[in-house]
């Protein structure tokens, strides 16, 4: 089944409030890694609230097309509780 922007949004909707790591290509050989919490999803973008200890700004947004074209990669930090 082909991946669509709507299916990406639906998957992210179920992960709102969870820890997320976003790895983005920032240039030829430069990669940025940002950690935060997935806060909101909109029709074309999603918003990540960043950890203030690691970043100079509070939020960053990415488009679902970034995920589809593999310009960014995301992973969710699943914390196991005992």
């Amino acid at each position: 089944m082909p991946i669509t922007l709507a299916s990406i949004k639906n998957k992210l909707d179920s992960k709102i409030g969870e820890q997320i790591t976003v790895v983005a290509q920032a240039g030829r050989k430069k990669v940025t890694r940002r950690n935060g919490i997935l806060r909101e999803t909109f029709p074309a973008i999603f918003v990540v609230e960043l950890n203030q200890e690691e970043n100079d700004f509070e939020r960053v947004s990415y488009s679902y097309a970034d995920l589809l074209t593999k310009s960014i990669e995301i992973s969710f930090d699943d914390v196991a509780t005992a």
Side-chain angles (χ1 to χ4, degrees), residues 11-21 36-39 48-49 75-79:
K11 288 180 184 179
L12 288 177
D13 283 342
S14 67
K15 300 283 191 175
I16 290 177
E18 293 188 21
Q19 289 285 335
I20 186 173
T21 300
I37 298 173
L38 180 61
R39 280 295 173 211
V48 177
E49 185 176 300
S75 62
F76 290 92
D77 305 327
D78 296 329
V79 178

Side-chain angles (χ1 to χ4, degrees), residues 59-70:
R59 293 181 179 185
V60 66
S61 63
Y62 298 99
S63 72
Y64 304 120
D66 291 337
L67 283 170
L68 190 63
T69 60
K70 298 186 172 92

Side-chain angles (χ1 to χ4, degrees), residues 20-22 33-37 48-51 54-55 77:
I20 186 173
T21 300
V22 180
R33 179 180 304 268
R34 295 193 172 118
N35 297 309
I37 298 173
V48 177
E49 185 176 300
L50 301 174
N51 294 342
E54 301 173 7
N55 300 286
D77 305 327

